């Protein structure tokens, strides 16, 4: 099963790189597409930072505030 998944992953990578290489000689991406890719990556990184801040903030709250209730 692992070998089947690894083979499928290899086929997908080869297909992606082949299409990417075929598309590249046609010219670089225009400015709007480049800006869209960059903004998408910025929003993704921002959302990850906010997710981990919320997660560790909740963990900190649970350990400090709720832990203080146990000591009473």
């Amino acid at each position: 099963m692992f070998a089947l998944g690894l083979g499928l992953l290899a086929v997908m990578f080869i297909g992606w790189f082949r299409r990417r290489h075929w598309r590249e000689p046609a010219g670089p991406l225009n400015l709007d597409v480049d800006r869209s890719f960059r903004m998408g990556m910025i929003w993704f990184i921002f959302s990850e930072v906010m997710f981990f801040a919320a997660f560790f903030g909740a963990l900190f709250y649970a350990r400090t505030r709720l832990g203080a209730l146990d000591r009473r």
Side-chain angles (χ1 to χ4, degrees):
M1 191 58 119
F2 178 73
L4 179 67
L6 196 59
L8 182 63
L9 184 65
V11 167
M12 288 185 341
F13 273 139
I14 290 169
W16 185 83
F17 280 116
R18 184 177 295 155
R19 272 185 297 175
R20 181 74 181 144
H21 179 70
W22 175 77
R23 227 184 283 163
E24 193 63 34
L29 299 173
N30 63 15
L31 187 59
D32 290 335
V33 175
D34 183 57
R35 188 177 299 131
S36 174
F37 285 165
R38 289 177 190 273
M39 287 302 295
M41 185 55 68
I42 288 169
W43 280 113
F44 172 73
I45 292 170
F46 177 74
S47 70
E48 291 295 312
V49 168
M50 290 296 109
F51 173 77
F52 282 107
F55 178 78
F56 287 113
L59 183 65
F60 178 75
Y61 175 79
R63 288 185 173 257
T64 56
R65 298 293 181 189
L66 300 179
L69 295 176
D70 292 339
R71 284 180 258 173
R72 288 181 185 182

